[in-house]
Short mmCIF file of all heavy atoms in Angstrom, two decimals:
data_model
loop_
_atom_site.label_atom_id
_atom_site.label_comp_id
_atom_site.label_asym_id
_atom_site.label_seq_id
_atom_site.Cartn_x
_atom_site.Cartn_y
_atom_site.Cartn_z
N THR A 1240 -27.90 -48.80 -120.30
CA THR A 1240 -28.98 -49.01 -121.23
C THR A 1240 -29.86 -47.74 -121.35
O THR A 1240 -30.21 -47.13 -120.35
CB THR A 1240 -29.88 -50.18 -120.70
OG1 THR A 1240 -29.05 -51.29 -120.44
CG2 THR A 1240 -30.98 -50.48 -121.63
N GLN A 1241 -30.12 -47.33 -122.55
CA GLN A 1241 -30.94 -46.12 -122.73
C GLN A 1241 -32.32 -46.28 -122.17
O GLN A 1241 -32.98 -47.35 -122.33
CB GLN A 1241 -31.07 -45.80 -124.19
CG GLN A 1241 -31.85 -44.48 -124.44
CD GLN A 1241 -31.92 -44.02 -125.93
OE1 GLN A 1241 -31.19 -44.60 -126.71
NE2 GLN A 1241 -32.74 -43.12 -126.22
N GLY A 1242 -32.75 -45.30 -121.42
CA GLY A 1242 -34.07 -45.34 -120.79
C GLY A 1242 -34.06 -46.12 -119.54
O GLY A 1242 -35.17 -46.56 -119.03
N TYR A 1243 -32.91 -46.39 -118.95
CA TYR A 1243 -32.80 -47.21 -117.72
C TYR A 1243 -33.51 -46.49 -116.59
O TYR A 1243 -33.38 -45.27 -116.37
CB TYR A 1243 -31.34 -47.43 -117.27
CG TYR A 1243 -31.26 -48.09 -115.94
CD1 TYR A 1243 -31.27 -49.47 -115.83
CD2 TYR A 1243 -31.18 -47.35 -114.77
CE1 TYR A 1243 -31.25 -50.10 -114.59
CE2 TYR A 1243 -31.10 -47.94 -113.53
CZ TYR A 1243 -31.14 -49.32 -113.48
OH TYR A 1243 -31.17 -49.92 -112.20
N THR A 1244 -34.35 -47.18 -115.87
CA THR A 1244 -35.03 -46.66 -114.70
C THR A 1244 -35.37 -47.84 -113.78
O THR A 1244 -35.77 -48.93 -114.22
CB THR A 1244 -36.28 -45.90 -115.05
OG1 THR A 1244 -36.87 -45.38 -113.82
CG2 THR A 1244 -37.28 -46.75 -115.73
N ASN A 1245 -35.17 -47.66 -112.48
CA ASN A 1245 -35.53 -48.71 -111.52
C ASN A 1245 -35.76 -48.15 -110.14
O ASN A 1245 -35.08 -47.16 -109.77
CB ASN A 1245 -34.45 -49.78 -111.49
CG ASN A 1245 -34.92 -51.17 -111.01
OD1 ASN A 1245 -36.13 -51.33 -110.68
ND2 ASN A 1245 -34.11 -52.15 -111.04
N THR A 1246 -36.63 -48.76 -109.42
CA THR A 1246 -36.89 -48.34 -108.01
C THR A 1246 -36.51 -49.56 -107.14
O THR A 1246 -37.06 -50.69 -107.37
CB THR A 1246 -38.29 -47.92 -107.75
OG1 THR A 1246 -38.62 -46.77 -108.55
CG2 THR A 1246 -38.55 -47.58 -106.32
N LEU A 1247 -35.64 -49.37 -106.22
CA LEU A 1247 -35.15 -50.46 -105.35
C LEU A 1247 -35.35 -50.14 -103.91
O LEU A 1247 -35.16 -49.02 -103.48
CB LEU A 1247 -33.62 -50.71 -105.64
CG LEU A 1247 -33.22 -51.03 -107.05
CD1 LEU A 1247 -31.73 -50.92 -107.22
CD2 LEU A 1247 -33.70 -52.45 -107.42
N THR A 1248 -35.71 -51.14 -103.17
CA THR A 1248 -35.87 -50.95 -101.69
C THR A 1248 -34.67 -51.65 -100.98
O THR A 1248 -34.51 -52.88 -101.10
CB THR A 1248 -37.18 -51.59 -101.14
OG1 THR A 1248 -38.25 -50.92 -101.82
CG2 THR A 1248 -37.29 -51.44 -99.66
N LEU A 1249 -33.84 -50.85 -100.32
CA LEU A 1249 -32.58 -51.37 -99.79
C LEU A 1249 -32.72 -51.57 -98.26
O LEU A 1249 -33.44 -50.85 -97.56
CB LEU A 1249 -31.44 -50.41 -100.02
CG LEU A 1249 -31.16 -49.96 -101.45
CD1 LEU A 1249 -29.93 -49.05 -101.44
CD2 LEU A 1249 -31.00 -51.11 -102.39
N VAL A 1250 -32.00 -52.58 -97.76
CA VAL A 1250 -31.91 -52.80 -96.33
C VAL A 1250 -30.45 -52.75 -95.96
O VAL A 1250 -29.56 -53.18 -96.80
CB VAL A 1250 -32.48 -54.19 -95.98
CG1 VAL A 1250 -32.21 -54.55 -94.49
CG2 VAL A 1250 -34.00 -54.18 -96.20
N GLY A 1251 -30.10 -52.19 -94.78
CA GLY A 1251 -28.68 -52.09 -94.42
C GLY A 1251 -28.19 -53.34 -93.81
O GLY A 1251 -28.93 -54.26 -93.44
N ILE A 1252 -26.84 -53.50 -93.74
CA ILE A 1252 -26.29 -54.72 -93.19
C ILE A 1252 -26.61 -54.82 -91.75
O ILE A 1252 -26.63 -55.89 -91.18
CB ILE A 1252 -24.71 -54.72 -93.30
CG1 ILE A 1252 -24.10 -53.52 -92.54
CG2 ILE A 1252 -24.30 -54.56 -94.76
CD1 ILE A 1252 -22.64 -53.70 -92.24
N ASP A 1253 -26.94 -53.69 -91.07
CA ASP A 1253 -27.36 -53.75 -89.67
C ASP A 1253 -28.54 -54.65 -89.44
O ASP A 1253 -28.62 -55.22 -88.35
CB ASP A 1253 -27.73 -52.31 -89.26
CG ASP A 1253 -27.08 -51.94 -87.94
OD1 ASP A 1253 -26.02 -52.41 -87.61
OD2 ASP A 1253 -27.77 -51.20 -87.18
N GLU A 1254 -29.40 -54.82 -90.40
CA GLU A 1254 -30.60 -55.69 -90.28
C GLU A 1254 -30.65 -56.73 -91.41
O GLU A 1254 -31.77 -57.07 -91.81
CB GLU A 1254 -31.88 -54.76 -90.26
CG GLU A 1254 -31.82 -53.86 -89.01
CD GLU A 1254 -32.84 -52.68 -89.11
OE1 GLU A 1254 -33.04 -52.18 -90.22
OE2 GLU A 1254 -33.36 -52.35 -88.06
N TYR A 1255 -29.46 -57.15 -91.78
CA TYR A 1255 -29.37 -58.11 -92.91
C TYR A 1255 -30.24 -59.34 -92.77
O TYR A 1255 -30.93 -59.79 -93.70
CB TYR A 1255 -27.91 -58.49 -93.02
CG TYR A 1255 -27.57 -59.70 -93.84
CD1 TYR A 1255 -27.76 -59.76 -95.23
CD2 TYR A 1255 -27.11 -60.85 -93.23
CE1 TYR A 1255 -27.44 -60.88 -95.99
CE2 TYR A 1255 -26.81 -62.04 -93.96
CZ TYR A 1255 -26.95 -61.99 -95.33
OH TYR A 1255 -26.66 -63.16 -96.03
N PRO A 1256 -30.34 -59.98 -91.56
CA PRO A 1256 -31.18 -61.19 -91.41
C PRO A 1256 -32.65 -60.95 -91.68
O PRO A 1256 -33.36 -61.89 -91.97
CB PRO A 1256 -30.92 -61.62 -89.94
CG PRO A 1256 -29.60 -61.00 -89.54
CD PRO A 1256 -29.61 -59.65 -90.26
N ASP A 1257 -33.11 -59.65 -91.54
CA ASP A 1257 -34.50 -59.35 -91.73
C ASP A 1257 -34.82 -58.79 -93.13
O ASP A 1257 -35.92 -58.26 -93.35
CB ASP A 1257 -34.92 -58.36 -90.67
CG ASP A 1257 -34.69 -58.80 -89.27
OD1 ASP A 1257 -35.08 -59.97 -88.96
OD2 ASP A 1257 -34.13 -58.06 -88.45
N ARG A 1258 -33.90 -58.95 -94.06
CA ARG A 1258 -33.98 -58.26 -95.35
C ARG A 1258 -35.09 -58.69 -96.24
O ARG A 1258 -35.56 -58.06 -97.13
CB ARG A 1258 -32.68 -58.39 -96.07
CG ARG A 1258 -32.38 -59.78 -96.59
CD ARG A 1258 -30.97 -59.98 -97.03
NE ARG A 1258 -30.72 -61.34 -97.56
CZ ARG A 1258 -30.49 -62.37 -96.78
NH1 ARG A 1258 -30.59 -62.24 -95.47
NH2 ARG A 1258 -30.30 -63.58 -97.29
N GLY A 1259 -35.52 -60.04 -96.07
CA GLY A 1259 -36.47 -60.60 -97.02
C GLY A 1259 -35.81 -60.66 -98.39
O GLY A 1259 -34.74 -61.27 -98.51
N ASP A 1260 -36.46 -60.15 -99.43
CA ASP A 1260 -35.93 -60.18 -100.80
C ASP A 1260 -35.17 -58.88 -101.10
O ASP A 1260 -34.72 -58.74 -102.29
CB ASP A 1260 -37.00 -60.39 -101.82
CG ASP A 1260 -37.64 -61.77 -101.71
OD1 ASP A 1260 -36.92 -62.69 -101.24
OD2 ASP A 1260 -38.83 -61.91 -101.97
N SER A 1261 -35.06 -57.95 -100.19
CA SER A 1261 -34.42 -56.67 -100.48
C SER A 1261 -32.90 -56.79 -100.54
O SER A 1261 -32.30 -57.53 -99.72
CB SER A 1261 -34.78 -55.63 -99.43
OG SER A 1261 -36.17 -55.36 -99.39
N PRO A 1262 -32.27 -56.11 -101.47
CA PRO A 1262 -30.78 -56.18 -101.53
C PRO A 1262 -30.12 -55.31 -100.44
O PRO A 1262 -30.70 -54.37 -99.97
CB PRO A 1262 -30.48 -55.59 -102.94
CG PRO A 1262 -31.65 -54.69 -103.21
CD PRO A 1262 -32.82 -55.30 -102.61
N VAL A 1263 -28.93 -55.65 -100.14
CA VAL A 1263 -28.07 -54.93 -99.24
C VAL A 1263 -27.07 -54.03 -100.07
O VAL A 1263 -26.81 -52.91 -99.64
CB VAL A 1263 -27.29 -55.80 -98.28
CG1 VAL A 1263 -26.18 -55.14 -97.57
CG2 VAL A 1263 -28.22 -56.43 -97.27
N THR A 1264 -26.61 -54.57 -101.15
CA THR A 1264 -25.59 -53.88 -102.00
C THR A 1264 -26.08 -53.88 -103.47
O THR A 1264 -26.51 -54.91 -103.97
CB THR A 1264 -24.24 -54.53 -101.88
OG1 THR A 1264 -23.85 -54.61 -100.55
CG2 THR A 1264 -23.22 -53.74 -102.71
N VAL A 1265 -26.00 -52.75 -104.12
CA VAL A 1265 -26.32 -52.61 -105.51
C VAL A 1265 -25.11 -52.06 -106.25
O VAL A 1265 -24.57 -51.05 -105.88
CB VAL A 1265 -27.51 -51.63 -105.73
CG1 VAL A 1265 -27.81 -51.49 -107.26
CG2 VAL A 1265 -28.73 -52.04 -105.00
N ARG A 1266 -24.65 -52.88 -107.23
CA ARG A 1266 -23.59 -52.43 -108.06
C ARG A 1266 -24.11 -51.90 -109.38
O ARG A 1266 -24.93 -52.50 -110.02
CB ARG A 1266 -22.58 -53.58 -108.40
CG ARG A 1266 -21.47 -53.14 -109.31
CD ARG A 1266 -20.43 -54.22 -109.46
NE ARG A 1266 -20.87 -55.40 -110.13
CZ ARG A 1266 -20.05 -56.40 -110.58
NH1 ARG A 1266 -18.76 -56.27 -110.37
NH2 ARG A 1266 -20.52 -57.44 -111.18
N LEU A 1267 -23.61 -50.72 -109.75
CA LEU A 1267 -24.02 -50.11 -111.06
C LEU A 1267 -22.79 -50.20 -111.97
O LEU A 1267 -21.74 -49.62 -111.81
CB LEU A 1267 -24.39 -48.59 -110.83
CG LEU A 1267 -25.52 -48.33 -109.84
CD1 LEU A 1267 -25.77 -46.84 -109.75
CD2 LEU A 1267 -26.77 -49.10 -110.20
N GLU A 1268 -22.96 -51.06 -112.99
CA GLU A 1268 -21.89 -51.30 -113.94
C GLU A 1268 -21.59 -50.08 -114.80
O GLU A 1268 -22.54 -49.39 -115.24
CB GLU A 1268 -22.25 -52.48 -114.86
CG GLU A 1268 -22.01 -53.84 -114.17
CD GLU A 1268 -22.16 -54.97 -115.23
OE1 GLU A 1268 -23.13 -54.98 -116.01
OE2 GLU A 1268 -21.22 -55.79 -115.24
N THR A 1269 -20.33 -49.87 -115.06
CA THR A 1269 -19.88 -48.84 -115.97
C THR A 1269 -19.25 -49.35 -117.21
O THR A 1269 -19.03 -48.69 -118.20
CB THR A 1269 -18.94 -47.85 -115.25
OG1 THR A 1269 -17.75 -48.59 -114.90
CG2 THR A 1269 -19.53 -47.25 -114.09
#
Side-chain angles (χ1 to χ4, degrees):
T1240 306
Q1241 183 175 346
Y1243 174 86
T1244 181
N1245 204 357
T1246 298
L1247 302 167
T1248 300
L1249 307 183
V1250 172
I1252 65 162
D1253 225 34
E1254 295 165 326
Y1255 163 73
D1257 302 312
R1258 69 192 182 282
D1260 295 328
S1261 296
V1263 165
T1264 304
V1265 178
R1266 177 172 66 171
L1267 303 180
E1268 281 191 310
T1269 61

